[in-house]
Amino acid sequence: MDRYAVVGHPISHSRSPWIHAQFAAQTAQSMQYTAMDVDPAQFEASIARFFVEGGAGLNITVPFKERACAMARKRSPAVDACGAANTLYLDAEGLLCAENTDGHGLLQDLVANHGACLAERRILLLGAGGAVRGVIPALLEHGPAHIGILNRSHDKAVQLAKHFRGEVDIKAWPAETAFAQPFDLIINGTSAGLHGDLPSIPAGVLHSQTWCYDMVYGKGETAFVQWARRAGAAKAIDGIGMLVEQAARAFSIWRGVTPQTAAIIQALRQELAAPSPGSGL
Ligand code: ATR
């Protein structure tokens, strides 16, 4: 039976084994998918051993996505753009390949599941860490008019905007900005929500048609989704759909078959309906 796993530290919170078990049952794939808690000192050795022993593919989560990227012999354009990988597999020659399905997962949820149109829209990204960096390439493909980045540490936002400069009108906004022109979509990519916190958000970011998307999910409504509802956003969406969609993309890379996601997103949302925070992959 082909073996897969999600690797992180810690990893016990991960929903990925359950999600991939649903995909495998739905598409009649014979495979095993487990969670591997890997000692950070042993990451590269553990990954190498997994594949040498016949493992077929891995998902990679916090704190290893950059190290997974560095290990790979072949990197997809998305991985090259953001320097982080969440999916590993071997190609026909046995070379370790890296993909990042987070951006695809976000866009699949926003556009295919919720019907968003991002062309010519103004998008504000909250945060400037790996999560935000990982989804910018996919956002760029949809032709937004402007991408703003706002981060607690402004310097990191400036560096990130510099990295993608030239492809779109992209700018780091200082936290104290009061926006004269609001945004059409605000995406929370900070890790504040993992602790039930909300990043500070300046005045003037919203108008009545603004959508808000939280890349974090948790038990009950996330702090950012609650803020968005109170602030009058047209839609407030949490990251459950993104979680399932990024997994579906990894599954289709490994198995050559794309699973249906709607029922799995709904089941996960129902299970998480009771309060207390949780986190990705
Ligand atoms: P990840 O890979 O999840 O993006 P990361 O690279 O450590 O993790 O980035 C976390 C992001 O969340 C950063 O942008 C961080 O802001 P700083 O760069 O100022 O550290 C942001 N963040 C974390 N906790 C936050 C909080 N309580 N309020 C606002 N921003 C927060």
Side-chain angles (χ1 to χ4, degrees), residues 94-113:
L95 294 178
L96 185 65
C97 302
E99 180 56 273
N100 190 319
T101 65
D102 286 335
H104 176 92
L106 171 66
L107 271 298
Q108 189 69 12
D109 196 36
L110 267 170
V111 176
N113 297 346

Side-chain angles (χ1 to χ4, degrees), residues 62 127-132 151-153 156 189-192 197-200:
V62 178
V132 164
N151 191 45
R152 181 175 61 181
S153 315
K156 266 169 76 177
T190 71
S191 51
D197 296 332
L198 186 67
S200 88

Side-chain angles (χ1 to χ4, degrees), residues 1-4 29-33 54-56 255:
M1 196 186 289
D2 290 340
R3 287 193 300 115
Y4 299 86
Q29 301 288 300
S30 174
M31 57 184 275
Q32 181 196 55
Y33 187 112
R255 307 302 299 181

Side-chain angles (χ1 to χ4, degrees), residues 126-128 131-132 150-151 187-194 197-199 214 216:
L126 304 176
V132 164
L150 194 145
N151 191 45
I187 298 173
N188 178 31
T190 71
S191 51
L194 298 179
D197 296 332
L198 186 67
D214 196 348
V216 165

